Amino acid sequence: MRWKKGNWLRKSIIQLVLLSFAGLFLTPIIYIVYYSLSFGGISNYEIVIRTPFLPRFFINSIVVTGSCILIVVGLGSLAAYAFSQLKFPAKNGLFYLLLIGIMVPTPSIVIPLFQLMRKMGLINNYLALIGPYVAINLPYPMLVMKNYFDDIPKAISEAAVIEGCGSFAVFRKIMMPLSVPALAVAIVWTFLFSWTEFLFAMVFMPMKQMQTIPMAALYYNGLVYFTGKENELCAIILVIMLPTIVAYILLQGLFIKGMTAGALKG
Amino acid sequence: MSSLSKEMQKSRKSRFVNHSCAINYLYILGPCLFFAIFLAYPIVFISIAGLHKWNGVSKMVFVGLTNYAQMLRDRFFFIALRNNFYYIVFAVGIQMGLGLVLAVLLNEKLRGSVVIRTIFFLPCVIVPVVIALVWLRMYEPGGLITATLRKIGLGVFTRTWLGDPNTVIFAIIAVNIWEWTGLDMVIYLAGLQNIPDELYEVARIDGAGGIKSFIYITLPMLRGTHFALLILGITGTLKTFDLVWVLTKGGPYYSSHLLTTYIFNRGFYVHKMGYASALSIFLLILSLSLTIYVLRIYAGKRRGI
């Protein structure tokens, strides 16, 4: 597909097609922006920013997502290192078992988890979300990190061992610094899931003060039935979307890499 | 480095690389704990609960396989199953197909391809709940879609998209396609870039045109990507909950339920948690078997090369 002649026309047509389709794709977002600015313009946003619970929703999401990222990266990298470099019985079996986590649909396990949280008294507690999120999020980043560790040349770690490093020192001084891209993938993946998760957030956190961003969107949606101010709702939706979109635009390479990393080795 | 003798070097190296020791288990302790508490325990629980009649509060009553028998007579279960089937066929199919076409077009390295790629991938990072709320407004009787259709004169095609049991699941699938096509496109793009250019050169010299080289070079070389996306797509659609729940809650009159939302409905709305557990087991087994099935096909084709 690299002919030299007649290229310009072909490429222009393709470009046109792609651009118009992309424009079509953007329609929902343009629609919301347009709607949020109607009947009041920028002042809608003013009203939104002064909404009582909004900062609280953000803080909740940040706490949950931040903790998940820390735990997944911390525990996941250790485990990925072990699966990649160390030897112990039933290694392969255990690995596949942990991978099953990817295939479990969250609504399948929400009922027993709800009972569990009730019994442990963790309803309306951050831990009720952090625990399951970490469990569900561990497999994929672990897989990506393990593959990454596998690709680090053995010579480097062997040299370190001869210098007198134990297994943890090799992990800390060699594996981790060399695998920053894999860590980035783990962070992005965990962020996306924890920030957008809805079912557990709805079931485990009935108290408004503890709810996360997805529930915030629904809460404001419900409010609209009383106030009837659809345009303010659109403004709020946009404000909720904004952090993620901004982070995405700035770090797109990272986001896209995060999602594609494991899929290719599959 | 030569301060240690060769034997000592060897024993140092083999101490943790070649020998398993108890300490190695420490590394995987964390994930194993999380898995045991939040994944293994629930799975065991629903296996047991599926054999009982239970409303979530009072004691469980053992009823054997009654729940499963009831499943086979449950009209709504089969509606949910049918919807899941539509989802897999249409959502995954169109996402993969459209994603592939877009990736091939985008691979031409045009100006602004980064911007275009950003735009298509954007819906993947937006909170699904928010996506559902936006499309709710687009689908409503006074909303964008109806208005646009009327403006271009196709007013006869308008319906209450989310209110008509015949169109609702397809309306939801359309939203899903909008949301996830970018992901398939990006993954295909990465796969396309792994195909060496020389293959196309050779084909061109042999006289193959664009379409032929697409069928005989591009598609086969993307085999691994196809299967990865299939598995991602199937497990992804079987997990879908947020979109459907916020858009329709399974309505109108149960016509847009997926297995996931139906489980939630049975468990938390009508308090038939035993039955919901049985449904959960079914969903789990379905997810596992479909994944294994696709993996088997992939492994089989691989051996066939």
Side-chain angles (χ1 to χ4, degrees):
Chain A
M1 298 184 183
R2 305 268 181 270
W3 305 293
K4 301 291 183 200
K5 298 192 188 133
N7 231 2
W8 181 83
L9 184 64
R10 210 171 123 266
K11 285 207 167 182
S12 304
I13 296 185
I14 293 182
Q15 190 139 19
L16 205 65
V17 166
L18 275 180
L19 275 173
S20 25
F21 198 58
L24 221 66
F25 227 64
L26 269 184
T27 319
I29 302 186
I30 301 178
Y31 184 56
I32 285 296
V33 175
Y34 172 74
Y35 213 148
S36 68
L37 290 175
S38 56
F39 293 125
I42 299 289
S43 66
N44 285 337
Y45 283 91
E46 236 184 293
I47 303 179
V48 162
I49 304 226
R50 279 196 251 113
T51 326
F53 281 126
L54 200 60
R56 182 74 210 203
F57 287 132
F58 271 107
I59 293 180
N60 291 336
S61 274
I62 292 179
V63 168
V64 170
T65 305
S67 318
C68 286
I69 291 182
L70 283 174
I71 301 180
V72 167
V73 168
L75 290 181
S77 56
L78 279 173
Y81 170 66
F83 281 118
S84 165
Q85 306 285 322
L86 304 178
K87 212 176 158 192
F88 48 92
K91 182 161 96 152
N92 279 330
L94 276 175
F95 192 63
Y96 288 125
L97 205 61
L98 288 175
L99 283 191
I100 288 187
I102 304 185
M103 290 190 271
V104 174
T106 43
S108 272
I109 55 176
V110 68
I111 290 175
L113 278 181
F114 180 62
Q115 298 293 327
L116 182 67
M117 295 305 164
R118 257 208 337 213
K119 288 221 178 82
M120 296 211 289
L122 285 179
I123 298 282
N124 285 323
N125 189 326
Y126 286 132
L127 290 177
L129 288 186
I130 297 178
Y133 284 3
V134 169
I136 296 182
N137 266 322
L138 268 175
Y140 188 72
M142 240 176 27
L143 178 68
V144 170
M145 285 194 277
K146 169 184 175 295
N147 283 334
Y148 209 82
F149 287 152
D150 283 343
D151 285 343
I152 296 182
K154 277 243 147 97
I156 304 183
S157 43
E158 281 173 9
V161 171
I162 295 178
E163 295 287 334
C165 287
S167 57
F168 188 69
V170 174
F171 171 71
R172 201 167 49 105
K173 295 187 179 155
I174 297 185
M175 292 285 165
M176 287 298 273
L178 283 180
S179 50
V180 171
L183 291 181
V185 168
I187 293 178
V188 166
W189 181 265
T190 311
F191 169 78
L192 268 181
F193 178 84
S194 314
W195 192 263
T196 63
E197 203 283 333
F198 170 64
L199 178 59
F200 288 163
M202 176 170 68
V203 173
F204 297 161
M205 305 281 234
M207 200 159 76
K208 210 132 286 142
Q209 282 99 302
M210 298 297 286
Q211 286 179 345
T212 54
I213 291 285
M215 289 303 293
L218 266 190
Y219 167 70
Y220 290 116
N221 187 52
L223 273 187
V224 159
Y225 284 114
F226 292 108
T227 66
K229 298 222 173 85
E230 287 267 342
N231 37 315
E232 276 174 26
L233 173 67
C234 292
I236 291 195
I237 288 183
L238 225 83
V239 168
I240 290 181
M241 282 205 284
L242 216 54
T244 324
I245 294 187
V246 165
Y248 166 66
I249 293 187
L250 291 179
L251 298 170
Q252 340 160 7
L254 227 62
F255 273 87
I256 296 187
K257 216 176 186 193
M259 302 290 252
T260 62
L264 289 184
K265 294 241 177 170
Chain B
M1 195 147 82
S2 43
S3 55
L4 298 167
S5 64
K6 272 282 162 99
E7 289 81 43
M8 279 190 79
Q9 285 179 12
K10 258 218 189 115
S11 77
R12 265 253 163 86
K13 185 163 47 144
S14 45
R15 204 196 304 148
F16 76 81
V17 171
N18 291 327
H19 289 311
S20 49
C21 63
I23 296 211
N24 288 345
Y25 276 114
L26 220 62
Y27 286 93
I28 59 171
L29 187 65
C32 283
L33 263 176
F34 274 96
F35 177 81
I37 301 179
F38 297 107
L39 281 176
Y41 163 74
I43 294 181
V44 168
F45 188 96
I46 53 174
S47 317
I48 300 179
L51 302 171
H52 291 72
K53 189 174 146 123
W54 182 39
N55 64 3
V57 198
S58 34
K59 276 182 75 99
M60 293 204 233
V61 177
F62 182 78
V63 290
L65 294 175
T66 318
N67 286 331
Y68 292 96
Q70 195 186 344
M71 242 165 54
L72 295 174
R73 280 179 273 135
D74 186 354
R75 187 160 51 107
F76 303 135
F77 167 69
F78 283 106
I79 292 181
L81 204 57
R82 175 207 73 178
N83 285 336
N84 269 113
F85 176 70
Y86 281 161
Y87 230 90
I88 292 182
V89 167
F90 290 109
V92 177
I94 297 183
Q95 277 160 211
M96 282 176 67
L98 200 54
L100 181 58
V101 167
L102 288 175
V104 168
L105 290 182
L106 216 58
N107 204 23
E108 299 275 332
K109 295 193 194 48
L110 307 157
R111 267 180 309 152
S113 33
V114 176
V115 172
I116 298 183
R117 188 191 63 174
T118 311
I119 294 180
F120 281 119
F121 193 68
L122 184 62
C124 301
V125 301
I126 305 182
V127 183
V129 170
V130 167
I131 292 183
L133 290 178
V134 170
W135 279 83
L136 244 185
R137 273 147 192 86
M138 283 176 56
Y139 271 138
E140 67 187 8
L144 184 66
I145 301 206
T146 325
T148 318
L149 280 178
R150 289 225 177 92
K151 268 215 172 119
I152 57 178
L154 290 174
V156 66
F157 283 122
T158 59
R159 308 199 177 314
T160 49
W161 306 99
L162 295 178
D164 181 350
N166 291 323
T167 61
V168 61
I169 187 64
F170 294 106
I172 299 180
I173 290 180
V175 181
N176 204 70
I177 293 177
W178 181 79
E179 188 185 352
W180 291 112
T181 299
L183 178 66
D184 290 30
M185 175 191 87
V186 155
I187 293 184
Y188 269 132
L189 204 57
L192 279 178
Q193 283 163 356
N194 277 336
I195 304 181
D197 280 341
E198 294 82 55
L199 289 177
Y200 292 114
E201 299 288 331
V202 170
R204 186 167 46 97
I205 295 177
D206 280 354
I211 309 260
K212 268 229 174 97
S213 63
F214 179 74
I215 301 181
Y216 291 108
I217 300 183
T218 318
L219 283 182
M221 288 296 284
L222 284 177
R223 188 160 285 154
T225 324
H226 289 321
F227 280 100
L229 279 177
L230 254 181
I231 294 184
L232 223 68
I234 292 181
T235 51
T237 57
L238 285 179
K239 284 189 193 175
T240 308
F241 176 87
D242 309 11
L243 253 187
V244 179
W245 188 257
V246 177
L247 275 175
T248 62
K249 282 205 172 56
Y253 197 59
Y254 291 91
S255 59
S256 68
H257 264 301
L258 292 188
L259 284 170
T260 45
T261 57
Y262 190 53
I263 290 175
F264 188 76
N265 173 284
R266 294 287 106 172
F268 287 91
Y269 274 32
V270 300
H271 301 295
K272 287 192 169 163
M273 293 216 172
Y275 186 53
S277 302
L279 288 170
S280 306
I281 289 282
F282 177 78
L283 181 59
L284 251 177
I285 297 183
L286 185 65
S287 176
L288 268 167
S289 24
L290 280 178
T291 309
I292 295 181
Y293 181 62
V294 173
L295 277 173
R296 279 263 169 85
I297 299 185
Y298 176 49
K301 283 232 167 117
R302 232 187 176 171
R303 258 181 262 124
I305 289 184

